[in-house]
Amino acid sequence: SQKIEQNSEALNIQEGKTATLTCNYTNYSPAYLQWYRQDPGRGPVFLLLIRENEKEKRKERLKVTFDTTLKQSLFHITASQPADSATYLCALDGNTGGFKTIFGAGTRLFVKA
Amino acid sequence: EAGVAQSPRYKIIEKRQSVAFWCNPISGHATLYWYQQILGQGPKLLIQFQNNGVVDDSQLPKDRFSAERLKGVDSTLKIQPAKLEDSAVYLCASSLTSGRETQYFGPGTRLLVL
């Protein structure tokens, strides 16, 4: 069955460092992959989208890579700030299993001042 | 531009009772989604509408859950009768066209079934 895995353990980093979050998937051929941010008590907020034929996408301090051979995406936040503390969700839309979006469980990020 | 609106924000019911959630998507968005998010998990799609037609409801427990999208705008999601395992946050999202693009989420309705 289709499976998306994100680091289940929370990631703790120091302010100013780069946070790197991982999203791995199996039994899936995504047409594209998205990253969302979710704060407690709120709905997810879209951050970045990367398509299957793209290797890397950047937006301000955010960078996403997408390796369809490894079936993995990496999400980087450079010069991290305490305000970046949140849960980050990986979501895939595919060429298999219909067109519905499948979300990972998310990784909780804590940035300490 | 107003975002996706949901109500109520919180609901506590006893098992076997019924409950309904309401969603008003962003104006002009053709696609509307209902997700269930259990604590510690990612959102799981329950049903997707394109205008007022159902695109995907493969993960909707149809024996107890129902949803409709009135005139292709607002939507309601109903649970009848509720079970303990239905305790979750119910998220509504909308997107401009047929999906495969950015989804805009509402704040969610937190349901507790006792």
Side-chain angles (χ1 to χ4, degrees):
Chain A
S1 63
Q2 299 158 352
K3 196 173 180 181
I4 300 174
E5 289 185 344
Q6 295 187 252
N7 294 351
S8 57
E9 291 185 12
L11 180 63
N12 290 281
I13 64 167
Q14 200 67 34
E15 182 177 12
K17 300 293 186 183
T18 296
T20 298
L21 287 70
T22 305
C23 175
N24 294 299
Y25 59 92
T26 54
N27 298 323
Y28 205 74
S29 296
Y32 61 92
L33 185 148
Q34 302 183 63
W35 284 88
Y36 286 78
R37 168 182 174 144
Q38 187 171 27
D39 290 284
R42 296 185 174 228
V45 174
F46 170 78
L47 296 175
L48 277 172
L49 179 153
I50 186 165
R51 302 181 195 283
E52 61 181 331
N53 59 349
E54 297 175 317
K55 295 292 185 186
E56 183 178 298
K57 202 69 140 336
R58 291 175 185 260
K59 179 183 176 183
E60 297 172 352
R61 294 185 297 112
L62 309 179
K63 184 179 85 171
V64 173
T65 63
F66 193 11
D67 188 327
T68 55
T69 301
L70 290 179
K71 295 186 183 297
Q72 181 182 78
S73 174
L74 298 178
F75 177 77
H76 307 272
I77 306 174
T78 58
S80 60
Q81 304 165 1
D84 295 326
S85 298
T87 296
Y88 291 86
L89 301 166
C90 163
L92 286 86
D93 280 71
N95 296 314
T96 56
F99 294 138
K100 62 177 173 282
T101 304
I102 299 177
F103 281 83
T107 297
R108 189 81 170 92
L109 172 66
F110 292 97
V111 181
K112 293 182 289 186
Chain B
E1 178 182 80
V4 176
Q6 289 189 248
S7 68
R9 291 296 314 276
Y10 306 92
K11 192 73 177 179
I12 301 174
I13 62 173
E14 295 190 350
K15 60 183 179 183
R16 291 188 291 274
Q17 286 187 324
S18 62
V19 64
F21 312 128
W22 173 82
C23 172
N24 187 16
I26 293 173
S27 177
H29 279 197
T31 306
L32 185 147
Y33 315 77
W34 282 103
Y35 289 89
Q36 179 193 59
Q37 186 173 26
I38 293 171
L39 189 64
Q41 298 181 18
K44 182 183 85 171
L45 181 70
L46 293 176
I47 189 166
Q48 177 179 338
F49 292 95
Q50 174 77 15
N51 296 310
N52 59 354
V54 175
V55 173
D56 189 320
D57 64 356
S58 57
Q59 299 187 108
L60 186 74
K62 297 179 186 65
D63 58 334
R64 298 184 302 105
F65 285 63
S66 64
E68 61 179 2
R69 189 176 184 193
L70 307 171
K71 300 179 182 178
V73 181
D74 292 10
S75 178
T76 55
L77 176 70
K78 296 179 182 178
I79 308 174
Q80 182 180 9
K83 292 185 175 181
L84 298 178
E85 59 260 36
D86 298 331
S87 295
V89 176
Y90 291 85
L91 294 162
C92 179
S94 68
S95 62
L96 188 58
T97 55
S98 59
R100 294 198 156 200
E101 60 191 32
T102 301
Q103 297 179 32
Y104 296 87
F105 284 83
T109 296
R110 188 173 300 273
L111 173 67
L112 179 60
V113 182
L114 302 174

